[in-house]
């Protein structure tokens, strides 16, 4: 059956301006880090992508090494673009990244101009695109001058292979340097993608201030801490969870008694708000408007539906925020 997007897809989704740019992102974006690779079921991935777009998620986030195997998530997404999403390309924000290991030899990872240039060409080929909307430096490279990495991003925009550029996992000082270089080159830094959740708050120690001062947007990856901030782990490790998968990024040993106690207490506050723990965790990341979008992952359609429903209740009382802070600061 030919896919037709839901006519009401833009009626309930919230869209936020990305920093001081003209770009707007959905408050909930979908990442293809897991569950869209060659080892996963194609039809399940297709169903999730369709449902996400039907719910107003216009931003799909990839990277050259997503899979597994590396590259297969982009290939899968490229097939969906051809079969289902071709009429809707101009309604979508598609992003990719390069920085982690992709191929053998000295030019297959990090932040050299050689690697980033080859990577964007390969990503465009895998997805069947002329350009991506956002292209990121996936991680800072301690051995390549920042001027070279940022210069490569600028060059990629000037070649028409990306509309905007971003960085991921850069600390506050590195971000400040990247902003200055890109501003001088005339290709402003539009977005930063940090790991941020109730259980990982490092960006509050300086980075968020840098982003605010420079007019740069942010999109939080792992806002549910690889699924820890859901009901999934309250009673142990389920067989179908990321912690149980050999290819998953969440280690079973990360699920300590202290973490279980915290998420159990957070779950009590969530229930009092008539939300699931995941919904409250997403609302918390988006609180005060300091984060442009929360980047979710999913393994089934129902998770996307649940996460998008978090937007129905984004506000917190001062008592709720204080209670959450007491739990997290222990």
């Amino acid at each position: 059956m030919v896919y037709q997007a839901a006519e009401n897809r833009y009626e309930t989704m919230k869209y936020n301006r990305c920093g001081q740019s003209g770009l707007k992102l959905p408050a909930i974006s979908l990442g293809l880090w897991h569950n869209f690779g060659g080892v996963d079921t194609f039809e399940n991935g297709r169903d999730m992508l369709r449902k996400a777009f039907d719910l107003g998620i216009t931003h799909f986030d990839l990277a050259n090494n997503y899979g597994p195997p590396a590259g297969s998530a982009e290939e899968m997404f490229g097939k969906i673009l051809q079969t289902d999403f071709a009429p809707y390309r101009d309604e979508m924000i598609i992003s990719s990244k390069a920085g982690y290991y992709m191929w053998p030899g000295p030019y297959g990872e990090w932040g050299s101009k050689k690697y980033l240039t080859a990577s964007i060409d390969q990503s465009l080929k895998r997805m069947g695109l002329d350009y991506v909307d956002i292209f990121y430096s996936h991680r800072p490279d301690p051995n390549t001058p920042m001027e070279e990495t940022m210069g490569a991003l600028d060059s990629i925009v000037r070649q028409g292979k990306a509309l905007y550029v971003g960085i991921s996992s850069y600390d506050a000082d590195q971000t400040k340097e990247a902003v200055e270089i890109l501003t001088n080159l005339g290709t402003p830094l539009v977005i930063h993608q940090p790991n941020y959740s109730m259980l990982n708050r490092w960006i509050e120690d300086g980075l968020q201030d840098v982003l605010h001062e420079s007019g740069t947007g942010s999109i939080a990856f792992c806002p549910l801490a690889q699924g820890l901030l859901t009901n999934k782990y309250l009673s142990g490790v389920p067989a179908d969870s990321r912690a149980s998968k050999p290819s998953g990024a969440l280690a079973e040993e990360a699920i300590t008694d202290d973490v279980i106690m915290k998420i159990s207490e957070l779950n009590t506050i969530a229930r009092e708000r008539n939300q699931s723990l995941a919904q409250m965790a997403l609302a918390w990341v988006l609180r005060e408007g300091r984060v442009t979008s929360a980047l979710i992952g999913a393994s089934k359609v129902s998770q996307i539906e649940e996460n998008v429903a978090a937007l129905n209740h984004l506000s917190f009382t001062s008592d709720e925020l204080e209670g959450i802070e007491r739990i997290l600061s222990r």
Side-chain angles (χ1 to χ4, degrees):
M1 182 182 294
V2 176
Y3 169 71
Q4 281 193 307
E7 292 185 2
N8 65 344
R9 61 189 177 277
Y10 296 121
E11 292 181 5
T12 56
M13 177 55 68
K14 177 179 172 59
Y15 298 92
N16 298 320
R17 189 169 298 281
C18 191
Q20 294 178 354
S21 75
L23 179 65
K24 289 184 177 182
L25 295 180
I28 302 293
S29 299
L30 181 64
L32 280 71
W33 183 13
H34 300 287
N35 304 313
F36 296 88
V39 300
D40 300 297
T41 304
F42 178 85
E43 286 303 323
N44 184 53
R46 185 183 202 176
D47 289 344
M48 289 193 289
L49 290 169
R50 287 177 165 186
K51 174 55 69 174
F53 192 59
D54 284 344
L55 291 173
I57 293 178
T58 52
H59 179 209
F60 300 94
D61 181 77
L62 300 102
N64 59 350
N65 66 326
Y66 286 178
S72 60
E74 288 184 329
E75 291 171 353
M76 182 273 182
F77 189 71
K79 292 176 183 176
I80 300 300
L81 278 170
Q82 289 181 337
T83 58
D84 295 353
F85 287 164
Y88 308 105
R89 169 63 181 101
D90 292 337
E91 298 180 38
M92 295 180 171
I93 299 297
I94 300 169
S95 60
S96 193
K97 318 176 200 73
Y100 285 93
Y101 178 83
M102 190 60 189
W103 63 83
Y107 320 118
E109 62 180 325
W110 294 108
S112 70
K113 185 173 184 178
K114 169 73 172 174
Y115 173 63
L116 293 180
T117 301
S119 291
I120 183 63
D121 288 343
Q122 291 180 17
S123 290
L124 293 176
K125 184 176 181 181
R126 280 190 289 268
M127 291 187 283
L129 291 172
D130 295 323
Y131 70 94
V132 293
D133 297 280
I134 304 170
F135 189 67
Y136 290 87
S137 167
H138 206 164
R139 61 173 171 171
D141 182 349
N143 298 312
T144 296
M146 186 78 76
E147 289 80 4
E148 179 176 341
T149 302
M150 297 305 112
L153 294 180
D154 171 69
S155 175
I156 285 166
V157 169
R158 294 184 185 281
Q159 292 174 49
K161 297 175 182 178
L163 301 183
Y164 302 95
V165 298
I167 57 176
S168 181
S169 301
Y170 283 53
D171 66 25
D173 289 338
Q174 292 165 333
T175 299
K176 190 178 295 186
E177 184 180 359
V179 166
E180 182 177 352
I181 294 169
L182 285 168
T183 299
N184 290 336
L185 289 171
T187 299
L189 179 66
V190 166
I191 192 166
H192 189 302
Q193 186 174 135
N195 189 327
Y196 181 50
S197 71
M198 286 178 163
L199 301 179
N200 185 359
R201 302 175 64 177
W202 71 278
I203 73 171
E204 296 174 10
D205 187 22
L207 177 58
Q208 281 192 318
D209 292 333
V210 171
L211 298 177
H212 178 72
E213 291 163 7
S214 63
T216 302
S218 62
I219 178 168
F221 77 88
C222 293
L224 301 181
Q226 291 289 320
L228 279 176
L229 290 167
T230 70
N231 298 336
K232 185 179 295 185
Y233 295 101
L234 290 173
S235 302
V237 181
D240 63 345
S241 67
R242 286 186 183 181
S244 68
K245 284 186 175 182
S247 60
L250 177 61
E252 188 167 348
E253 55 266 26
I255 309 173
T256 64
D257 290 342
D258 181 59
V259 168
I260 294 297
M261 183 178 297
K262 284 184 177 181
I263 62 176
S264 178
E265 293 177 14
L266 290 169
N267 189 49
T268 299
I269 297 178
R271 284 203 309 266
E272 292 171 352
R273 287 169 50 85
N274 294 315
Q275 286 185 312
S276 67
L277 176 56
Q279 289 169 339
M280 185 179 77
L282 292 170
W284 185 89
V285 163
L286 294 167
R287 76 198 186 286
E288 300 172 355
R290 299 201 79 182
V291 170
T292 311
S293 182
L295 183 61
I296 64 167
S299 60
K300 49 191 174 184
V301 165
S302 61
Q303 292 172 342
I304 298 174
E305 294 172 320
E306 176 189 352
N307 290 344
V308 170
L311 303 180
N312 296 332
H313 188 11
L314 290 176
S315 61
F316 289 86
T317 66
S318 57
D319 287 345
E320 287 171 340
L321 289 174
E322 289 170 8
I324 291 169
E325 190 63 35
R326 280 196 298 272
I327 294 168
L328 297 179
S329 60
R330 276 208 317 268

